Amino acid sequence: MNFLAHAWLAGDLPADRLGGLMGDFVKGPLPAGLPPDVAEGVRLHRRIDVFADTHPAFQRSRARISPERRRVAGVMVDMFYDHFLALHWDRFHGVPLEHFSAAMYALMGANGALLPPRLAAILPHMRDSDWLGSYRSADVIGMALDRMAQRLRRENPLTGSGAELFAGYAGFEADFFEFIAAAEAFAADCRARRGPGA
């Protein structure tokens, strides 16, 4: 789950960022009690996901994944891209990653009643282990994918998948830079089209 990319692509509005962080945990119709501005943030998250799935650089990264892991390639590439965003953070944001991450944990903590149960449950560990900042380390990405593999009920090929990041590192990094520039423009356009105050 690419928490960092969605938080960054959401822009500067707290509601968009909150919706961006919640997006992977809200499936199907949006909950009736979700504030409209947070719901817009979740919708933006979903638009970005659709954009990613169809972007040539993202598709190229998925094709770099070994055939035996191809069905979880999207999850892997999401995590790989969060690594490159964290690693090169200074190119993309003027606020240090440590401060940005702390602000995201504080935002979720202040809106605990709105968080989906699974996100609320992992927030303390996410904050204490500084998941967003720790993505700078490729080894951490591998460990996160291994943890994900253990949490999934079905048998899956995610265990050990961090090795694929090291094996194709330069290619994934080149794909990331191509993709993230397009994704930033796409997300900004989506936010602008909503109009002021939306």
Side-chain angles (χ1 to χ4, degrees), residues 70-109:
R70 199 64 53 80
R71 69 183 174 90
V72 292
V75 173
M76 292 169 61
V77 173
D78 278 349
M79 293 296 293
F80 295 173
Y81 282 13
D82 257 11
H83 163 64
F84 291 117
L85 179 58
L87 185 66
H88 300 292
W89 181 257
D90 293 345
R91 299 189 191 191
F92 298 100
H93 207 287
V95 173
L97 180 56
E98 293 76 13
H99 297 166
F100 181 88
S101 300
M104 294 305 98
Y105 306 138
L107 175 65
M108 288 186 282

Side-chain angles (χ1 to χ4, degrees), residues 2 6-7 9-11 13-51 107-108 111 114-116 119 186-187 190-191 194 198:
N2 49 341
H6 276 292
L9 290 170
L13 296 180
D16 281 339
R17 287 181 172 174
L18 186 61
L21 290 162
M22 291 169 56
D24 284 319
F25 300 89
V26 180
K27 305 301 181 187
L30 297 179
L34 205 59
D37 53 352
V38 177
E40 280 300 318
V42 175
R43 288 188 191 96
L44 176 60
H45 176 117
R46 292 177 176 182
R47 289 184 192 110
I48 291 168
D49 279 350
V50 171
F51 174 82
L107 175 65
M108 288 186 282
N111 291 277
L114 295 177
L115 298 183
L119 180 54
F186 173 80
C190 286
R191 295 193 308 269
R194 293 190 314 218

